[in-house]
């Protein structure tokens, strides 16, 4: 029976000492903090990824080094399971525990315990594929990761600089190769070919739209957009902006999906670029989020966020399912979180099943899997569409009775190939939106007019201990601190169309306050009043209370 390679693990572990003052936690986004604190974590993740692969009989595990939409000095790492999905929840706890082992000896003992409890056959091979985004801290952190892989003798494949969604795609392709679930060609070129071929088929006979301005967040999404453009040819003209990938300090700085969503305005660099009537979109730093927007004829900015994308896409898929003669056989559903705008929830609930779940991609993804076709997008622009195995089988076996049904059926099959079903993907989602807009003949204005968002405001409150705040009902209500939810209810009742909720961050000592109301001044006032209540309840220093907290 093979045993743990304690010698190499101990040798490399001593080169990557855990800082005594830092406590790590593996959350929805994996490990994420300032890059300077992550060296030991990356080494240990290399070891964990190898053990995860061995536990799954040599299936390939992915490791992505990224901090997504976070500021450039941050970095992070997350593990990807064999179907391109997020790491299994129980292993998140193991990763957290192993990352916090205070010494090499404690780390090795924790590994021995994990091997025993999980009955890991150490004679099995370990296979890992890894990539990073464009952050300057990436190469050093990848070197630490590689030490962990070397210590375990893993078969490792370095994919270099890639978008997060491409890494997820590659993991699924590697593990399904040669099976009936074969997901595609196991290469970056295979990804571009699969998506572009489906896009070109879906746009056959449709007139090409105005060029699309794409804010690449000065990140890896620029490389992917540039490469994809070569495969699309004249089908879609992309005009990339914020492409200073090699310039220090530019990543996600006053640009990108998170900037647009939180500030609700154009990136300053696009102000002289975007013309009235023209649409644009923003990726985030690792290209797994997408936000659209346009200028109206008065040059006013209008945002089309994840809620708007979900409504656009879900409606289109419902129409195709009906048109293909599959109504009643394929159930299309939408999954949202509490952050979804109240107007979007009402609009969608009038048309198809809608479920609200706790924040976190994993929660949305799992809920979407319960539908034949599950659509999920967070308001922040992260989302995708999942076609269940049974839905794919029905699409393959269904016999259309008319040419019109045949056309709709082909569109559904091509949509399943266009969509990256492993994870939210800014490029794939962008092409999906462009397909729907072309088929519907919509401009940004017409898309926006499907429903009117309630004005809303998101406020961040820094607290000493976020664990004081506990929630229920998909994070829409507080159970702790005692009495605070009652105060929020009394406050919300004073505002027409008012809704507000409070939830602790999963990664930092911050509490997020969301509020919406019929009028913009009311939404702002409600948000800042709730933020004030939260600040006071958390024991904030009155002398340091932000002025805007009412």
């Amino acid at each position: 029976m093979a045993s743990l390679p304690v010698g190499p693990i101990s040798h490399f572990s001593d080169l990557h000492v855990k800082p005594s003052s830092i406590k790590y936690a593996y959350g929805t986004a994996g490990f994420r903090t300032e890059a300077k604190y992550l060296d030991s974590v990356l080494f240990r993740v290399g070891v964990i990824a190898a053990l995860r692969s061995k536990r799954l009989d040599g299936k390939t595990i992915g490791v992505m080094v990224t901090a997504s939409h976070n500021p450039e000095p941050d970095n992070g790492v997350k593990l990807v399971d064999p179907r391109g999905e997020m790491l299994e929840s129980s292993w998140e706890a193991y990763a957290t525990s192993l990352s916090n082992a205070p010494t090499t000896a404690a780390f090795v003992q924790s590994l021995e315990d994990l091997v025993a409890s999980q009955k890991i056959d150490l004679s099995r091979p370990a296979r890992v594929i890894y990539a990073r985004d464009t952050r300057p801290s990436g190469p050093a952190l990848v070197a630490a990761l590689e030490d962990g892989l070397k210590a375990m003798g893993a078969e490792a494949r370095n994919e270099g600089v890639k978008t997060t969604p491409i890494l997820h795609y590659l993991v699924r392709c590697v593990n399904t190769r040669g099976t009936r679930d074969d997901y595609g060609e196991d290469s970056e070129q295979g990804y571009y070919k699969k998506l572009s071929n489906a896009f070109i088929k879906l746009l056959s006979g449709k007139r090409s739209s105005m060029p699309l301005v794409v804010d690449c967040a000065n990140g890896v999404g620029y490389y992917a957009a540039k490469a994809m453009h070569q495969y699309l040819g004249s089908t879609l003209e992309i005009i990339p902006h914020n492409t200073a990938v090699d310039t220090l300090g530019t990543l996600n700085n006053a640009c990108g999906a998170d900037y647009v969503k939180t500030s609700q305005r154009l990136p300053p660099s696009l102000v002289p670029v975007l013309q009235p009537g023209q649409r644009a979109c923003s990726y985030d730093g690792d290209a797994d989020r997408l936000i659209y927007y346009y200028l109206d004829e008065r040059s006013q900015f209008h945002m089309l966020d994840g809620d708007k994308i979900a409504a656009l896409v879900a409606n289109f898929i419902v129409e195709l399912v009906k048109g293909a003669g599959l109504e009643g056989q394929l159930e299309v559903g939408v999954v949202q979180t509490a952050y979804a705008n109240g107007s979007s929830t009402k609009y969608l609930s009038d048309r198809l099943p809608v479920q609200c779940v706790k924040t976190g991609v994993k929660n949305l993804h799992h809920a979407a899997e319960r539908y034949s076709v599950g659509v999920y997008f967070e308001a922040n622009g992260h989302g995708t569409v999942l076609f269940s195995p049974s839905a794919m089988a029905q699409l393959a076996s269904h016999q259309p009775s008319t040419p019109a049904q045949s056309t709709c059926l082909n569109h559904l099959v091509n949509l399943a190939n266009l969509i990256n079903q492993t994870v939210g993907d800014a490029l794939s989602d962008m092409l999906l939106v462009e397909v729907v807009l072309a088929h519907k003949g919509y401009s940004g204005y017409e898309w926006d007019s499907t429903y009117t968002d309630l004005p809303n405001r998101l406020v961040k409150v820094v607290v000493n201990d976020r664990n004081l705040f506990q929630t229920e009902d998909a994070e829409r209500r507080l159970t702790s601190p005692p009495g605070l939810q009652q105060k929020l209810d009394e406050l919300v009742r004073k505002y027409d169309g008012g809704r507000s909720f409070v939830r602790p961050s999963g990664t930092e000592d911050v509490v997020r306050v969301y509020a919406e109301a019929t009028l913009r001044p009311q939404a702002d006032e409600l948000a800042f009043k709730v933020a004030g209540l939260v600040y006071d309840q958390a024991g904030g220093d009155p002398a340091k209370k932000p002025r805007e907290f009412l």
Side-chain angles (χ1 to χ4, degrees), residues 438-494:
H439 276 257
K440 305 289 286 183
Y442 280 177
S443 64
Y445 171 78
E446 287 157 327
W447 171 14
D448 199 17
S449 299
T450 49
Y451 66 84
T452 302
D453 274 326
L454 285 167
N456 57 89
R457 172 70 69 179
L458 187 61
V459 178
K460 188 162 74 171
V461 184
V462 178
V463 297
N464 288 326
D465 182 8
R466 67 181 184 273
N467 297 311
L468 290 173
F469 296 83
Q470 301 294 321
T471 63
E472 63 179 2
D473 187 23
E475 301 178 312
R476 289 177 287 192
R477 296 187 64 79
L478 283 169
T479 56
S480 173
L484 183 54
Q485 184 60 51
Q486 184 180 351
K487 291 178 183 176
L488 297 187
D489 290 341
E490 292 168 0
L491 189 57
V492 166
R493 279 195 289 270
K494 298 175 182 176

Side-chain angles (χ1 to χ4, degrees), residues 312-324 327 331-333 351-353 412:
L312 180 77
V313 168
N315 259 343
F316 184 60
I317 292 173
V318 166
E319 289 170 6
L320 290 179
V321 167
K322 288 179 182 175
E327 188 176 12
E331 183 185 30
V332 183
R351 290 160 176 80
L352 70 168
L412 284 168

Side-chain angles (χ1 to χ4, degrees), residues 123-261:
S123 68
R124 303 299 296 167
R127 300 184 178 99
V128 178
I129 178 173
Y130 57 98
R132 66 177 177 88
D133 69 14
T134 57
R135 290 165 200 271
S137 57
L141 292 177
V142 164
L145 171 73
E146 289 170 337
D147 280 352
L149 298 172
K150 275 185 235 163
M152 290 297 295
E155 297 173 32
R157 173 173 150 191
N158 183 357
E159 277 293 319
V161 174
K162 293 283 185 291
T163 70
T164 292
I166 288 177
L167 189 275
H168 281 253
Y169 164 88
L170 291 173
V171 171
R172 183 149 170 181
C173 288
V174 170
N175 287 300
T176 58
R177 190 192 301 129
T179 72
R180 67 178 184 180
D181 297 323
D182 194 314
Y183 197 61
E185 183 185 322
D186 164 28
S187 69
E188 184 178 12
Q189 291 70 33
Y191 165 89
Y192 296 129
K193 282 193 277 192
K194 180 179 180 180
L195 271 60
S196 61
N197 286 343
F199 181 77
I200 290 165
K201 287 176 186 174
L202 283 160
L203 251 62
S204 177
K206 302 293 176 187
R207 65 182 181 82
S208 66
S209 55
M210 287 174 67
L212 176 65
V213 173
V214 179
D215 161 24
C216 300
N218 296 309
V220 64
Y222 170 55
Y223 295 146
K226 188 167 65 169
M228 181 67 83
H229 194 221
Q230 295 174 339
Y231 287 84
L232 296 175
S234 60
T235 319
L236 176 66
E237 186 181 349
I238 295 171
I239 305 173
H241 284 270
N242 295 320
T243 60
V245 178
D246 298 322
T247 305
L248 288 177
T250 59
L251 181 67
N252 295 322
N253 187 3
C255 62
D258 192 57
Y259 174 86
V260 174
K261 176 62 179 170

Side-chain angles (χ1 to χ4, degrees), residues 9-52:
I9 291 173
S10 298
H11 165 72
F12 283 112
S13 180
D14 288 342
L15 301 178
H16 303 282
V17 178
K18 180 195 176 292
S20 58
S21 59
I22 306 293
K23 185 173 182 183
Y24 302 105
Y26 193 107
T28 300
F31 293 110
R32 192 175 292 182
T33 186
E34 289 181 69
K36 62 186 179 183
Y37 299 126
L38 283 169
D39 179 73
S40 66
V41 170
L42 267 290
F43 162 72
R44 294 178 183 198
V45 163
V47 176
I48 295 164
L51 286 175
R52 178 73 177 149

Side-chain angles (χ1 to χ4, degrees), residues 370-393:
R370 299 189 189 110
Y371 296 105
S372 305
V373 184
V375 180
Y376 75 83
F377 279 87
E378 293 180 282
N380 64 25
H382 186 284
T384 189
V385 181
L386 306 181
F387 287 76
S388 70
S390 63
M392 293 304 296

Side-chain angles (χ1 to χ4, degrees), residues 257-308:
D258 192 57
Y259 174 86
V260 174
K261 176 62 179 170
T262 55
S263 67
Q264 302 189 18
R265 63 167 69 102
L266 275 181
S269 57
L270 294 191
V271 170
V273 173
L274 206 60
Q275 301 300 310
Q278 191 172 15
R279 75 203 183 292
C281 64
S282 288
Y283 305 161
D284 68 338
D286 66 338
D288 69 351
R289 291 186 182 189
L290 179 74
I291 296 286
Y292 263 77
Y293 39 93
Y294 70 98
L295 297 183
D296 64 21
E297 68 280 359
R298 293 174 297 133
S299 294
Q300 292 294 305
F301 169 83
H302 297 267
M303 181 169 63
L304 299 154
D305 63 6
D307 294 340
K308 290 282 187 179

